[in-house]
């Protein structure tokens, strides 16, 4: 029990540190969100007065001219109330509404692509590692090359070949704009069609890491004594592969998979930008370019919670699966 309490305590401190950095880092950037919003108002012919500036500062959760510790206390109080503020980039929409509109797109796209890449990579890696030195090893350089290719270059290449030249898929967007978003067959089919190329980019770019990691763990596991014992007992190769080798070799991949799921919330910024996909990536870039403190903090908060939650789950599961982990802690 003390092991689990220590882990929970450690992640509670890590969460507080992450929230503090989440507050501090955006404010180290030059500029002021209130001034940016007032500049947009002036561009549209509006009149800026001291009263207007004060009203906008209050609307955005306080003026950045206030002492940092006051802003920090207000920031923590607002978090406890679930108030993430108002977005400058998408004013007057609340941050929670902006994130709520974009998060499902990223979670579905990147989440499904991560699951597909992990399942295919681990499965292929198990077979490649089971028969090292065969023609199956030729898969390693090909997938490693794809993993080394920059995301944006691979995305542009797939867009050119499959969308512009062959015309199999649409170039950009998340769905056909003439459709009304909803849980109906026509809209879902459109979303799948538009999301295929971004998902394919993520799968091709990440499958090599899963395959190589599982292959190396399989080769290492096959030299263990319990594998030799299983072979001496006369067990079938399929039984050894499934129940002995793969089950032990897959443990690091399971941990990596859980952590990868934590990063799903952050999305794939470059891929989403290339395909103009309506996910978190575009919102994050817009928040940074406009010094949108509230939106940046909201996005970083969701990313932080997802990553810390995934790591906590992995640590707790390892404590249950392997008692030696608790003994060493």
């Amino acid at each position: 029990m003390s092991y689990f309490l220590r882990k929970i305590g450690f992640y509670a401190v890590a969460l507080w540190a992450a929230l503090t950095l989440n507050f501090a880092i955006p404010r180290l950037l030059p500029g002021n969100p209130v001034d940016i919003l007032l500049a947009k108002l002036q561009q549209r012919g509006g009149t800026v007065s001291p009263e207007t500036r004060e009203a906008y500062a209050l609307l955005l959760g306080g003026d950045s001219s206030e002492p940092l510790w006051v802003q920090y206390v207000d920031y923590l109080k607002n978090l406890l109330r679930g108030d993430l503020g108002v977005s400058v980039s998408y004013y007057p929409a609340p941050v929670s509404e902006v994130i709520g509109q974009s998060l499902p797109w990223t979670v579905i796209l990147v989440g499904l692509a991560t699951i597909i890449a992990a399942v295919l990579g681990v499965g292929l890696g198990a077979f490649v590692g089971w028969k090292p030195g065969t023609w199956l090893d030729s898969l390693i350089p090909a997938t490693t090359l794809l993993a080394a290719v920059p995301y944006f270059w691979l995305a542009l290449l797939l867009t050119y070949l499959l969308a512009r030249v062959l015309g199999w898929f649409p170039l950009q967007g998340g769905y056909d704009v003439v459709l009304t978003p909803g849980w109906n067959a026509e809209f879902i089919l459109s979303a799948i069609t538009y999301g295929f190329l971004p998902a394919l980019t993520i799968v091709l770019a990440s499958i090599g890491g899963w395959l190589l990691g599982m292959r190396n763990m399989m080769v290492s596991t096959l030299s263990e004594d319990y594998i030799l014992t299983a072979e001496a007992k006369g067990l079938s190769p399929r039984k050894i592969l499934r129940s002995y080798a793969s089950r032990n070799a897959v443990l690091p991949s399971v941990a990596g998979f859980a952590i990868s799921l934590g990063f799903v919330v952050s999305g794939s910024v470059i891929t989403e930008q290339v395909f103009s996909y309506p996910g978190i990536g575009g919102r994050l870039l817009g928040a940074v370019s406009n010094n949108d403190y509230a939106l940046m903090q909201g996005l970083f908060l969701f990313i932080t919670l997802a990553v810390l939650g995934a790591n906590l789950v992995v640590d707790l599961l390892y404590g249950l699966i392997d008692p030696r982990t608790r003994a060493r802690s």
Side-chain angles (χ1 to χ4, degrees):
M1 179 61 68
S2 61
Y3 167 82
F4 298 106
L5 291 178
R6 285 198 303 270
K7 286 295 181 182
I8 294 174
F10 169 79
Y11 280 99
V13 174
L15 176 61
W16 170 78
L19 292 178
T20 302
L21 290 175
N22 188 21
F23 167 82
I25 290 177
R27 284 164 174 76
L28 297 177
L29 299 174
N32 186 316
V34 177
D35 293 337
I36 293 173
L37 196 57
L38 292 177
K40 292 182 178 179
L41 180 62
Q42 286 181 318
Q43 291 174 357
R44 297 173 183 173
T47 303
V48 177
S49 63
E51 292 77 13
T52 305
R53 193 182 195 287
E54 182 180 359
Y56 274 78
L58 294 174
L59 180 63
L60 295 176
D63 194 344
S64 61
S65 62
E66 294 178 341
L68 278 178
W69 70 269
V70 176
Q71 298 181 48
Y72 181 66
V73 172
D74 293 338
Y75 163 72
L76 294 180
K77 289 180 179 178
N78 291 334
L79 284 183
L80 292 176
R81 294 197 299 265
D83 181 9
L84 300 179
V86 177
S87 171
V88 172
S89 307
Y90 303 93
Y91 179 82
V95 169
S96 56
E97 180 180 327
V98 175
I99 296 177
Q101 293 174 351
S102 305
L103 188 60
W105 291 95
T106 293
V107 169
I108 293 174
L109 171 68
V110 184
L112 288 179
T114 300
I115 293 173
I116 292 172
V119 171
L120 290 178
V122 170
L124 290 173
F127 283 105
V128 173
W130 180 249
K131 299 292 184 180
T134 63
W135 66 270
L136 292 172
D137 269 341
S138 61
L139 293 173
I140 301 296
T143 55
T144 304
L145 177 63
L146 289 174
V149 172
Y151 263 37
F152 72 91
W153 189 87
L154 183 59
L156 291 173
L157 180 62
L158 291 176
T159 302
Y160 176 76
L161 293 177
L162 301 182
R164 183 173 296 276
V165 176
L166 298 177
W168 291 351
F169 301 98
L171 284 170
Q172 294 179 327
Y175 60 93
D176 192 342
V177 294
V178 302
L179 300 177
T180 301
W183 294 104
N184 55 78
E186 187 177 11
F187 176 77
I188 293 174
L189 180 61
S190 175
I192 293 174
T193 304
Y194 276 79
F196 184 86
L197 279 183
L200 182 62
T201 302
I202 298 171
V203 170
L204 291 179
S206 57
I207 192 173
W210 296 106
L211 194 155
L212 183 60
M214 185 62 182
R215 185 263 183 195
N216 292 340
M217 283 303 303
M218 280 291 294
V219 172
S220 176
T221 302
L222 290 177
S223 63
E224 297 291 339
D225 292 338
Y226 57 84
I227 299 295
L228 298 176
T229 302
E231 293 175 346
K233 289 181 178 179
L235 298 178
S236 65
R238 181 177 298 180
K239 176 70 173 179
I240 297 174
L241 171 63
R242 184 180 65 252
S243 301
Y244 291 84
S246 298
R247 179 173 295 181
N248 289 279
V250 80
L251 289 177
S253 296
V254 171
F257 177 70
I259 296 173
S260 297
L261 287 182
F263 282 101
V264 163
V265 175
S266 63
S268 182
V269 177
I270 297 178
T271 302
E272 291 184 2
Q273 281 299 107
V274 171
F275 293 100
S276 297
Y277 196 78
I280 290 296
R283 301 293 187 263
L284 185 57
L285 287 179
V288 173
S289 61
N290 292 318
N291 282 2
D292 192 343
Y293 292 169
L295 184 54
M296 277 191 283
Q297 288 173 345
L299 292 172
F300 292 154
L301 174 64
F302 275 84
I303 295 171
T304 300
L305 291 176
V307 174
L308 288 179
N311 280 273
L312 176 60
V313 170
V314 170
D315 277 348
L316 296 181
L317 286 178
Y318 261 92
L320 292 174
I321 296 172
D322 189 355
R324 294 173 298 178
T325 305
R326 300 196 299 268
R328 290 194 298 264
S329 300

